[in-house]
Amino acid sequence: MNRLVVCLARWSGRLLPLLPLIWLLMPDQASAEAGIPAVTLSPTGEEGAQTYSVTIKILLLMTALTFLPSAVIMMTSYMRIVIVLGIVRQAIGTPQSPSSQIINGIALFLTFFIMAPVLQKANEEALQPYLSEEITAEQAVQRAQGPFRLFMLAQTRETDLALFASLGGREGFESPEEVPFSMLVPAFVTSELKTAFQIGFLIFIPFVVIDLVVASVLMSMGMMMLSPMLVSLPFKLMLFVLVDGWSLLIQTLAASFQT
């Protein structure tokens, strides 16, 4: 009996300093019963307007962020730029220089430069009014689609748009605003792929000519064991530097998006 009393006294002495911490960690019964509503309804006039709580907005925002890389690649000028830069690297004959990180960085910042007017317009018409609580999130999304829609329509071929319209069974749009995003984005991607490979083809031709000339000279000299790519690489680099190739390439890419 005495041992039991001594043990209880020891444990009570150890647990006594932890009582405030245990009290803080205990859930508030009132708040647990109340909970956070998933959807709140705020009536406006005769019809009630449905709005989402903060927790649902955070969940939707985190879900939307997972699609942000795909949106940057597929709905901006990034895809055309990175494809052309990759083709130029392959045409010169240096598959590891510049590295993929450098090419992606150049394409990303050049995309920011080209898309600056579109982003600024979307910021003025959608983001700032939403942050000022003048419009709802749904209205902000609808307004933000406008500048991107105009940009993509300006770069999309009518044949590609007609192709996806026929595949989707929806033809005869009277105005660009009637074209849904689900149809505009794949048409824009298809047009960007065509344009990027057309630019890459035109850039590739001078380097192919240099390779043919070097290969013909080596064959005429009987030096068949020597790789033509190894000999032509310095000449291609010299040609690219003498014509200021990087400036011309970036200027061509930026000018190709002007309408």
Side-chain angles (χ1 to χ4, degrees):
M1 185 66 181
N2 294 333
R3 293 180 179 178
L4 180 60
V5 173
V6 171
C7 291
L8 291 176
R10 290 179 178 177
W11 280 106
S12 62
R14 295 178 180 178
L15 294 177
L16 185 60
L18 299 178
L19 288 179
L21 180 60
I22 296 175
W23 177 261
L24 292 175
L25 293 178
M26 290 179 64
D28 189 0
Q29 189 67 21
S31 62
E33 293 177 356
I36 301 177
V39 179
T40 59
L41 297 178
S42 58
T44 56
E46 297 180 357
E47 299 180 357
Q50 186 175 359
T51 59
Y52 298 98
S53 62
V54 177
T55 53
I56 299 299
K57 289 181 180 179
I58 293 176
L59 178 61
L60 294 176
L61 178 61
M62 298 302 294
T63 304
L65 288 177
T66 60
F67 296 97
L68 184 60
S70 299
V72 172
I73 294 174
M74 299 299 175
M75 297 173 58
T76 62
S77 59
Y78 178 85
M79 181 171 56
R80 182 190 302 185
I81 297 171
V82 75
I83 291 176
V84 172
L85 292 178
I87 292 177
V88 170
R89 181 178 64 178
Q90 190 69 26
I92 295 176
T94 55
Q96 301 298 329
S97 180
S99 62
S100 299
Q101 292 83 355
I102 295 177
I103 288 181
N104 289 326
I106 295 173
L108 183 61
F109 283 99
L110 191 56
T111 299
F112 288 153
F113 173 77
I114 295 173
M115 299 295 297
V118 179
L119 296 176
Q120 183 179 359
K121 190 174 181 180
N123 178 56
E124 295 175 353
E125 296 181 357
L127 182 59
Q128 293 302 324
Y130 174 71
L131 295 178
S132 302
E133 299 182 355
E134 298 176 1
I135 58 176
T136 62
E138 291 78 7
Q139 293 174 343
V141 173
Q142 292 295 330
R143 291 188 181 184
Q145 288 181 2
F148 286 94
R149 179 187 297 274
L150 294 177
F151 172 78
M152 288 189 290
L153 283 173
Q155 307 300 326
T156 304
R157 293 177 173 85
E158 294 183 0
T159 55
D160 295 328
L161 194 58
L163 170 63
F164 285 95
S166 62
L167 291 176
R170 301 182 59 183
E171 298 180 359
F173 296 105
E174 297 181 357
S175 62
E177 289 75 13
E178 296 181 0
V179 180
F181 249 62
S182 59
M183 188 180 301
L184 178 59
V185 173
F188 171 75
V189 170
T190 306
S191 295
E192 286 294 287
L193 289 174
K194 291 180 180 179
T195 305
F197 278 95
Q198 287 177 355
I199 297 175
F201 170 76
L202 296 177
I203 295 176
F204 217 110
I205 291 178
F207 298 104
V208 173
V209 172
I210 294 177
D211 289 334
L212 292 175
V213 171
V214 171
S216 300
V217 172
L218 292 178
M219 289 289 293
S220 62
M221 296 176 61
M223 304 175 64
M224 293 178 293
M225 301 301 296
L226 186 61
S227 174
M229 297 294 296
L230 182 62
V231 179
S232 63
L233 179 59
F235 294 98
K236 290 189 288 187
L237 291 176
M238 180 181 64
L239 174 65
F240 195 72
V241 172
L242 289 177
V243 300
D244 198 6
W246 288 113
S247 298
L248 291 175
L249 179 62
I250 293 176
Q251 180 183 357
T252 303
L253 287 173
S256 65
F257 290 97
Q258 295 180 359
T259 55

